[in-house]
């Protein structure tokens, strides 16, 4: 059974930084993609970043470009989301998501309405205070 486990969330002041980690258990690594999306209560899910683990190519939402960096450690089978220059609007629950097929991944011009990754974690809370 695939299980994604996030860690690294917390509270930080605006302008600060956090690094989220995602460990995938039971997932054949490298898989097609692993990414992060965020969602707050009553809000729609927002894709944040993704990495195609075999090709090491990345995707970023416009709202985080230049501030967030997604990278992997293939030896440890871990994916990280390094977040810098955090803003209050980055406050949300962050979820790690993975899929073995491109249809469940985020990439340039993907359709958010059809984004439905096969595997998601339980989430880790990020709170940015201004």
């Amino acid at each position: 059974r695939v299980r994604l486990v996030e860690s690294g969330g917390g509270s930080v002041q605006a302008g600060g930084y956090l690094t989220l980690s995602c460990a995938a258990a039971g997932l054949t690594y490298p898989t097609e993609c692993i990414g992060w999306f965020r969602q707050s209560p009553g809000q729609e899910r927002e894709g944040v970043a993704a990495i195609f683990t075999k090709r090491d190519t990345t995707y970023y939402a416009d709202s985080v470009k230049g501030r967030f960096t997604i990278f992997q450690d293939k030896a440890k089978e871990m994916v990280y989301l390094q977040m810098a220059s955090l803003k209050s609007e980055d406050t949300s629950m962050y979820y790690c998501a993975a899929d073995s097929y491109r249809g469940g991944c985020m990439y340039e011009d993907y359709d958010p309405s059809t984004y439905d990754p096969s595997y998601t974690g339980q989430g880790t809370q990020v709170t940015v205070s201004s």
Side-chain angles (χ1 to χ4, degrees):
R1 172 170 91 85
V2 175
R3 196 165 66 94
L4 302 179
V5 180
E6 305 96 336
S7 61
S11 297
V12 65
Q13 289 193 327
Y17 61 91
L18 283 172
T19 298
L20 306 183
S21 303
C22 177
L27 182 71
T28 301
Y29 197 97
T31 186
E32 184 63 23
C33 65
I34 295 182
W36 296 86
F37 67 85
R38 61 191 182 188
Q39 188 169 25
S40 297
Q43 302 294 316
E44 289 192 0
R45 180 169 59 188
E46 178 188 9
V48 175
I51 185 166
F52 284 79
T53 58
K54 296 176 183 176
R55 290 170 279 164
D56 212 19
T57 55
T58 57
Y59 159 83
Y60 295 97
D62 287 342
S63 58
V64 305
K65 279 181 180 177
R67 300 189 298 121
F68 291 12
T69 303
I70 188 168
F71 60 98
Q72 62 178 330
D73 184 330
K74 288 187 175 180
K76 296 182 179 179
E77 299 185 353
M78 296 282 295
V79 172
Y80 304 91
L81 183 67
Q82 192 173 61
M83 306 184 294
S85 301
L86 283 162
K87 305 175 182 179
S88 56
E89 51 262 45
D90 294 319
T91 295
S92 189
M93 185 73 81
Y94 284 70
Y95 298 86
C96 180
D99 209 294
S100 302
Y101 300 97
R102 182 179 173 83
C105 300
M106 290 177 278
Y107 49 89
E108 290 300 324
D109 299 322
Y110 84 106
D111 183 353
S113 67
T114 63
Y115 174 60
D116 186 22
S118 296
Y119 311 109
T120 60
Q122 294 299 307
T124 185
Q125 178 68 36
V126 171
T127 302
V128 184
S129 57
S130 56

